[in-house]
Amino acid sequence: MNQKNLNDIAAKIAAADHAYHSSGHPIMFDQEYDGLRALLKTHDPTHPYFSKVGDAPSDLWVKAKHEMPMGSLEKLNTLDEFLSWTSKFPDQSLIMEPKMDGLSLSIIYEKNQFKRAITRGDGLEGEDISANVRKMKNFRESIYRGSGIFEDFSRAVRCEIILPPQDLERINSVLPEKDQYENCRNAAAGIARRLDGQFCQYLTLYYYDVVPQVHNLESLQMDFLKVLGFNTVRYWGGNAQDLIAVYDEMKKERDSLEYKIDGMVIKLSSIELQDQLGSVNNRPKGQVAWKFDPPGAATYLKEVTWEVGRTGVVTPLGHVEPVWIDGSTISRVTLHNIAEIKRLGIGIGDLVMLVKANDVIPQITSVIEHKNNPIEIPTICPCCKTKLVGVRWQSTNAPYNGAQLFCPSEICPARNHLRILNWIKVVVIDHFGEALLETLEDRGLVRMIEHIYRISEEDIAVCVGEKVAKKVMANINKTRTLPLEKLISGMGITGLSTKTAIDLVNNFGDIEKILKISVDDLKKVRGYSDISATEIVGGLQKFEEEIR
């Protein structure tokens, strides 16, 4: 990746920063933003962008300098990254608190009285939004005397401006559609800086720090704020393993909280040690933010190949520049079907965003930058060269339906290969793996499921040796007689799982009756739609001879 590409990526990130900080209306999703930052950091960790914090304050508000800089936190996305960070401090106690999804603020008090409230801005200078902050919930105009802690409280209290989810709905209901806020964080950032102060009464302040410090432990700092009457965030203390359990629990509970969080903040309990460690690019070494969102990364789509499934559906497979996501290197991603390609508007060479769906399956969620090089849609099967048609069993002569492609050939090697693998898995022929199947196919010994029961032990021994061959043959022989439901489900018919096969046996009885059922018959069984019933009945008719 050349320097121009890296500078372009940095410019995109900076534009997203500005859109968020200036208006509260984002121009990209969080995962795209984090993915671009990760891509830039991988290829150019010293890029000037990383010396920035936040965004320059708006000219619409009076600017004010922070007496002590407000930094940002280095982000972690995985358990491995968290363990790597904590391993640097093996004997240190840690503190964890929710990472509030709002706008960071510093409220300055002088001799117990509120003086001003400044947004984080670029970390050194922010916007004085005191007039709006006075309208927010949990705002303190003064610190009561006689607390026994400070007769003269002159310090800055750090907090987060939050909008509760129920109030977002209330605010959006009275705004024109074009002015509505996408989420609570963006709404909090935008409303807090509205010049007319409208809706600020819905915003809530949650406090998490006081500077200069009054104690040497993070927990005591928080307890001090509570004693003064500030509405503080929750916190937990412990070692790395303790906090992993807290993280997992909070990830489950976050949707039920009265405020939005997007991760957890972890700090060394000792503020003295934090000060000794210092910071890099205004990011303290003794604090990090562990994000909840499924890990994502930005990369480039190099090419697209097309694969034939056992039912004949031809699926596009994207090949990307290898990228590290959540503990593994990703070089291939599913593109699902042609409809998804069209929805994304994706093309060869595009800069794309990858995430692990359900934290497991890698997929492209968006295109960050188009190169205007469209993906070529095939018209013939990439395996057997048969003309491709529509996807449904009953409509193999139908015109292309715009969503998926289908190879109608009954002798397509790719389809048969996957059907045989499915059979081996369903009926459980141990030691009969894909490598052995491919070798037998290459030798012309297996082309259909029934061929498995015609090969000899000697045929297998040529491929894997006599010892393994004996085991394979013994396992093949165990499957020569099967329960009816396993026989049917092993055929690889679309929509016909083991559970479906059991339904068929329970509702229709023997094989003769099952092979004669109609679509209407199956639709009378609870849970079967017209589409699923048509696929199953069509599949049974198609493989009737093989089943018998």
Side-chain angles (χ1 to χ4, degrees):
M1 189 176 299
N2 60 41
Q3 193 60 45
K4 182 181 183 303
N5 286 338
L6 295 173
N7 290 339
D8 287 345
I9 290 170
K12 291 179 185 297
I13 303 170
D17 287 336
H18 181 70
Y20 165 64
H21 288 286
S22 63
S23 68
H25 292 285
I27 59 174
M28 67 173 64
F29 294 111
D30 286 356
Q31 287 175 325
E32 290 181 26
Y33 178 84
D34 290 341
L36 285 176
R37 280 181 58 97
L39 182 64
L40 183 61
K41 191 168 186 179
T42 298
H43 291 279
D44 191 357
T46 62
H47 194 282
Y49 168 79
F50 292 113
S51 63
K52 292 179 56 183
V53 170
D55 192 58
S58 167
D59 291 331
L60 298 176
W61 289 90
V62 174
K63 297 176 184 178
K65 292 187 180 297
H66 295 290
E67 292 186 14
M68 295 184 67
M70 287 189 73
S72 183
L73 296 181
E74 193 67 33
K75 293 180 177 62
L76 310 178
N77 288 308
T78 68
L79 174 60
D80 286 344
E81 290 176 352
F82 170 74
L83 292 174
S84 175
W85 182 78
T86 58
S87 68
K88 302 172 186 175
F89 319 106
D91 301 319
Q92 293 297 317
S93 177
L94 304 170
I95 289 290
M96 176 177 274
E97 60 194 45
K99 182 179 181 298
M100 298 289 204
D101 206 10
L103 180 70
S104 296
L105 186 74
S106 180
I107 300 181
I108 295 93
Y109 290 88
E110 192 172 277
K111 296 183 178 180
N112 298 335
Q113 298 299 313
F114 170 69
K115 183 178 180 182
R116 69 169 63 93
I118 311 171
T119 63
R120 184 175 65 181
D122 62 8
L124 300 175
E125 185 179 53
E127 302 141 318
D128 185 338
I129 59 169
S130 299
N132 282 354
V133 171
R134 275 194 160 101
K135 301 176 183 178
M136 298 177 189
K137 298 173 185 175
N138 297 331
F139 167 71
R140 299 287 306 279
E141 183 72 42
S142 61
I143 307 300
Y144 301 122
R145 292 181 179 274
S147 64
I149 298 175
F150 273 102
E151 285 296 319
D152 181 3
F153 185 83
S154 297
R155 275 170 166 73
V157 178
R158 301 281 168 84
C159 60
E160 197 82 359
I161 302 175
I162 297 296
L163 178 70
Q166 66 271 20
D167 290 328
L168 175 65
E169 297 176 13
R170 184 179 291 115
I171 291 168
N172 277 341
S173 69
V174 298
L175 287 174
E177 185 174 351
K178 66 181 180 63
D179 294 331
Q180 291 179 1
Y181 295 101
E182 183 175 328
N183 55 49
C184 292
R185 182 193 63 186
N186 301 130
I191 292 170
R193 292 195 299 267
R194 285 182 68 112
L195 295 178
D196 60 7
Q198 189 178 17
F199 307 126
C200 283
Q201 69 271 25
Y202 294 111
L203 300 178
T204 301
L205 301 174
Y206 286 90
Y207 300 84
Y208 59 83
D209 200 7
V210 55
V211 292
Q213 71 189 67
V214 294
H215 290 288
N216 192 39
L217 295 177
E218 288 285 355
S219 58
L220 294 180
Q221 288 267 100
M222 201 75 75
D223 293 342
F224 171 80
L225 287 173
K226 285 182 181 179
V227 170
L228 289 185
F230 287 102
N231 181 47
T232 59
V233 298
R234 297 168 61 187
Y235 73 86
W236 297 260
N239 59 30
Q241 293 304 316
D242 296 331
L243 298 189
I244 290 171
V246 173
Y247 175 90
D248 291 338
E249 189 63 29
M250 291 299 291
K251 189 172 183 179
K252 295 175 186 175
E253 293 182 4
R254 61 173 167 162
D255 290 334
S256 63
L257 300 176
E258 62 184 15
Y259 44 75
K260 290 292 184 180
I261 63 174
D262 61 349
M264 301 296 286
V265 173
I266 305 98
K267 305 175 182 179
L268 295 176
S269 183
S270 169
I271 297 174
E272 182 180 0
L273 180 56
Q274 289 188 43
D275 291 341
Q276 291 173 5
L277 291 169
S279 62
V280 176
N281 294 327
N282 290 321
R283 290 167 174 81
K285 293 181 179 180
Q287 300 183 18
V288 288
W290 188 2
K291 300 269 286 185
F292 283 147
D293 291 331
T299 187
Y300 289 92
L301 179 67
K302 298 193 299 183
E303 65 171 326
V304 173
T305 56
W306 299 79
E307 296 190 341
V308 185
R310 62 181 171 82
T311 62
V313 174
V314 180
T315 304
L317 183 70
H319 299 259
V320 299
E321 289 285 349
V323 64
W324 183 262
I325 303 179
D326 195 20
S328 60
T329 299
I330 306 300
S331 59
R332 301 192 303 171
V333 294
T334 179
L335 291 171
H336 301 292
N337 51 46
I338 297 172
E340 181 69 359
I341 290 174
K342 290 185 175 182
R343 185 189 72 80
L344 291 168
I346 194 170
I348 305 300
D350 287 356
L351 178 61
V352 299
M353 183 64 203
L354 299 188
V355 299
K356 282 190 175 180
N358 300 317
D359 294 344
V360 177
I361 304 168
Q363 65 181 39
I364 294 174
T365 58
S366 61
V367 178
I368 300 170
E369 183 178 15
H370 294 276
K371 296 296 184 181
N372 299 317
N373 187 9
I375 294 169
E376 185 176 347
I377 307 300
T379 57
I380 60 174
C381 174
C383 181
C384 68
K385 309 307 178 187
T386 300
K387 184 179 179 181
L388 299 176
V389 292
V391 67
R392 297 294 179 196
W393 289 107
Q394 75 275 20
S395 60
T396 53
N397 293 318
Y400 164 58
N401 64 9
Q404 290 182 313
L405 295 176
F406 174 77
C407 174
S409 173
E410 301 297 337
I411 58 173
C412 177
R415 291 186 60 187
N416 285 331
H417 172 78
L418 292 171
R419 278 196 68 232
I420 297 167
L421 275 180
N422 179 72
W423 172 268
I424 292 169
K425 178 181 178 181
V426 171
V427 304
V428 190
I429 307 178
D430 289 334
H431 299 97
F432 199 143
E434 186 169 8
L436 173 57
L437 176 59
E438 289 175 347
T439 304
L440 293 169
E441 288 172 334
D442 290 342
R443 295 181 62 205
L445 296 175
V446 176
R447 288 283 184 268
M448 301 172 63
I449 291 172
E450 64 187 71
H451 294 164
I452 290 175
Y453 300 93
R454 297 179 185 175
I455 56 176
S456 67
E457 189 175 315
E458 289 73 21
D459 293 328
I460 301 172
V462 171
C463 306
V464 293
E466 293 182 5
K467 186 176 181 179
V468 176
K470 286 184 181 295
K471 294 180 180 179
V472 174
M473 183 53 67
N475 291 325
I476 289 174
N477 290 334
K478 289 178 184 177
T479 64
R480 290 184 184 275
T481 302
L482 293 166
L484 181 54
E485 61 270 16
K486 189 158 282 192
L487 171 69
I488 297 171
S489 61
M491 287 290 108
I493 296 170
T494 301
L496 211 166
S497 63
T498 300
K499 181 182 180 302
T500 305
I502 293 172
D503 282 347
L504 294 179
V505 173
N506 289 341
N507 284 278
F508 300 101
D510 60 34
I511 188 62
E512 294 301 326
K513 292 179 181 178
I514 289 174
L515 290 174
K516 290 179 181 177
I517 61 174
S518 67
V519 172
D520 288 336
D521 292 333
L522 189 53
K523 284 168 63 180
K524 292 175 184 177
V525 179
R526 183 178 179 183
Y528 294 93
S529 66
D530 185 65
I531 292 177
S532 61
T534 301
E535 287 179 332
I536 291 169
V537 171
L540 289 169
Q541 294 172 351
K542 179 178 179 179
F543 296 116
E544 178 177 353
E545 184 177 343
E546 197 169 351
I547 292 171
R548 291 181 184 278

